[in-house]
Amino acid sequence: MTASGSGVRTAVAVSPHLDDAVFSAGGVLASLSRAGWRVRVVTCFTASVADPCPFALSTQLDKGLPADVDYMAVRRAEDAAALRRLGVLPPVHLPLPEAPHRGYRSPAELFTPPRPDDTVGARLRRLLRPRLVSADLVLAPQGIGDHVDHLLTARAVAATVPSSRIGWWRDVPYVARAPSSDTGCRRGPPGAVSEVTVDIGAVLADKTAAARCYTTQLGFQFGGSGRTGEVLASLARAEALRTGAPCVYGESLRAGRAARRVLAGAVRSRLFR
């Protein structure tokens, strides 16, 4: 029996921004979909804001988009295209604003603990709870890099879902800057969470094609569309080497007991401790 009571297992990936789930765990998502799972990505911070502050506006201007373009609408469309390419269900976009629209007014402030007056975490928990309660597997960011939206997402998931059902992905691109980091997801009793690596060699091309749909982000994150595949392949090789998994390309997660069990059932020989 699945958590939802139906015969089809369900996985929900909780993405802070419109690209994080695909960049960080696109291979796992594609593998689950190929194995017959219903896979959904819920992205937390996707709201359009009519009159963005100067810092928020700069995040679209520096990507070549004029001020009168609805940047978040463009990004939501990119996300829908990416998830179609990945072969998962249509996305869910929660109506919460990104950090630059919540009082974080500089790049440095994005990588600080949540502000005392930032109440979005409680709203996020309320919005996530009905979408996660019946999922057999929940995937979420570890919070590597300490971006405030990633930290709030991780906290909201941890407060909403039993730790045994969660698989915590390593945040791309931040993990490239701190490859040995395992910050975040140190929740629950000792031994409740352990690292597993999924062989994504068979779906790496799908992940890369999906990632390339985020055209507004590729220059900033990967140095352009042409380098996206190279960077993602390099990161996946590094993960397999770091964990000692007997595969060439891997995505690693810190997973609770039930999450490890369902991942093993979904991807069988492609899952390694």
Side-chain angles (χ1 to χ4, degrees):
M1 181 70 70
T2 67
S4 64
S6 68
V8 179
R9 289 192 179 266
T10 61
V12 178
V14 184
S15 186
H17 303 122
L18 294 156
D19 59 24
D20 289 317
V22 172
F23 289 171
S24 302
V28 172
L29 301 180
S31 296
L32 290 168
S33 181
R34 283 191 178 192
W37 282 55
R38 288 176 55 83
V39 180
R40 180 86 69 185
V41 177
V42 176
T43 304
C44 300
F45 303 104
T46 80
S48 295
V49 175
D51 187 21
C53 71
F55 172 54
L57 183 60
S58 74
T59 64
Q60 74 181 64
L61 297 178
D62 65 13
K63 296 175 180 66
L65 296 174
D68 60 351
V69 167
D70 185 337
Y71 179 43
M72 298 307 295
V74 172
R75 296 199 62 193
R76 290 192 297 269
E78 291 175 344
D79 189 53
L83 297 182
R84 283 195 300 271
R85 184 62 185 82
L86 207 60
V88 304
L89 295 170
V92 172
H93 296 147
L94 300 182
L96 301 175
E98 291 186 311
H101 303 296
R102 303 195 316 271
Y104 300 84
R105 298 303 173 93
S106 71
E109 287 186 23
L110 296 179
F111 300 92
T112 59
R115 295 162 52 104
D117 61 348
D118 186 357
T119 61
V120 77
R123 294 172 60 199
L124 179 57
R125 290 192 295 274
R126 289 195 298 270
L127 289 169
L128 285 177
R129 188 167 290 109
R131 301 184 183 280
L132 303 184
V133 65
S134 63
D136 297 284
L137 174 67
V138 175
L139 304 174
Q142 290 188 24
I144 293 171
D146 293 331
H147 190 293
V148 63
D149 286 346
H150 290 230
L151 295 177
L152 287 168
T153 300
R155 291 179 185 180
V157 171
T160 305
V161 182
S163 62
S164 66
R165 284 198 281 134
I166 308 172
W168 303 97
W169 70 62
R170 286 165 55 80
D171 310 53
V172 172
Y174 303 110
V175 70
R177 303 162 196 167
S180 63
S181 176
D182 66 349
T183 58
C185 72
R186 294 189 177 185
R187 304 174 179 90
V193 176
S194 62
E195 190 165 48
V196 296
T197 301
V198 176
D199 180 354
I200 65 165
V203 295
L204 182 58
D206 294 332
K207 174 179 178 175
T208 299
R212 284 183 174 138
C213 293
Y214 298 102
T215 55
T216 61
Q217 308 304 305
L218 300 181
F220 177 72
Q221 301 292 9
F222 302 119
S225 177
R227 293 203 63 235
T228 299
E230 174 189 342
V231 173
L232 291 177
S234 177
L235 286 171
R237 282 194 300 270
E239 284 298 281
L241 288 171
R242 183 185 64 82
T243 61
C247 61
V248 178
Y249 302 106
E251 284 178 352
S252 300
L253 306 93
R254 292 185 62 81
R257 292 187 181 92
R260 292 197 301 273
R261 203 162 49 241
V262 297
L263 279 168
V267 297
R268 293 186 176 86
S269 64
R270 297 195 297 276
L271 178 68
F272 308 102
R273 292 280 178 117

